[in-house]
Amino acid sequence: MAKIDGPRFGPQSGGAPQQLVVLCHGVGSNGDDLIALAPMLAAALPHALFIAPNGPQAYDMMSGGAGRQWFSLADRRLAPMEAGVRAATASLDQFLDETLATLNLPPTAYALAGFSQGAMMALFTGLRRPQAPRVILAYSGMLLGPDKLEAEMANRAPVLLVHGERDENLPSSASKIAAEVLGRLNVPTTLLLRPDLGHSIDPAGIMAGVNALRDAFTTPSP
């Protein structure tokens, strides 16, 4: 199992962290990309530490460079992708457990967010953790292994799904399907579809994330 870490931001208040927010980047990117969201999301959580760990593997579709991946997308069939996310979950689980312990934070004092492949990681890992994240923010992602989720899920953390309706890489139908599956399993789910948005995150999506984080950490953990 590969150990992971990445760039950090905050707490904006300057004090010791009271919450942890982990941001999972997309395939071929790295933590330096997604940590740019942290100053905006910190509007909701000035006492939070934001970390954007680099995926455990070098990006396998391009040699050299700083690109990372959580798992390979060279084969985009659902079965290989599910196998990939399962393998990568061990690294993300370990990172969450060790970071919360190092920060002396309660095991529920965290949230997960991700974009694209990172959203797949956040959804898959977050719903299977014994200690639920306060919220899962999934931007332009999909729910892998939906047929096994009912048997494997360990919590019903609230989920925010945000997706552009003009996404050229991963159609918004992926988030619509995720919302349907999660709704059937009584997972509190909000779906925000953004017209004219491609494979990206826009200000409305960021504001929805800010509000979801604020609500999650002002509500007592289950």
Side-chain angles (χ1 to χ4, degrees), residues 94-222:
Q94 181 184 51
F95 174 77
L96 289 165
D97 292 339
E98 291 183 354
T99 304
L100 286 165
T102 299
L103 297 173
N104 293 314
L105 290 175
T108 59
Y110 76 103
L112 280 172
F115 172 72
S116 193
Q117 188 183 70
M120 300 176 200
M121 288 297 305
L123 287 167
F124 192 93
T125 304
L127 293 168
R128 288 166 172 79
R129 284 179 58 80
Q131 298 287 352
R134 293 298 186 94
V135 69
I136 300 170
L137 313 180
Y139 293 93
S140 303
M142 71 181 298
L143 185 68
L144 292 172
D147 55 322
K148 303 179 184 69
L149 181 57
E150 184 173 13
E152 296 176 353
M153 68 189 300
N155 66 74
R156 288 181 169 81
V159 173
L160 171 66
L161 304 166
V162 183
H163 216 125
E165 293 192 287
R166 292 185 178 270
D167 193 322
E168 66 282 6
N169 292 344
L170 187 59
S172 60
S173 58
S175 284
K176 294 176 186 176
I177 293 169
E180 292 171 3
V181 173
L182 295 173
R184 287 200 302 270
L185 297 177
N186 298 314
V187 175
T189 304
T190 301
L191 173 63
L192 175 62
L193 298 175
R194 298 296 300 138
D196 302 319
L197 180 66
H199 196 63
S200 184
I201 304 175
D202 68 355
I206 292 170
M207 184 53 63
V210 168
N211 292 333
L213 287 170
R214 181 181 292 114
D215 291 347
F217 283 98
T218 54
T219 302
S221 61

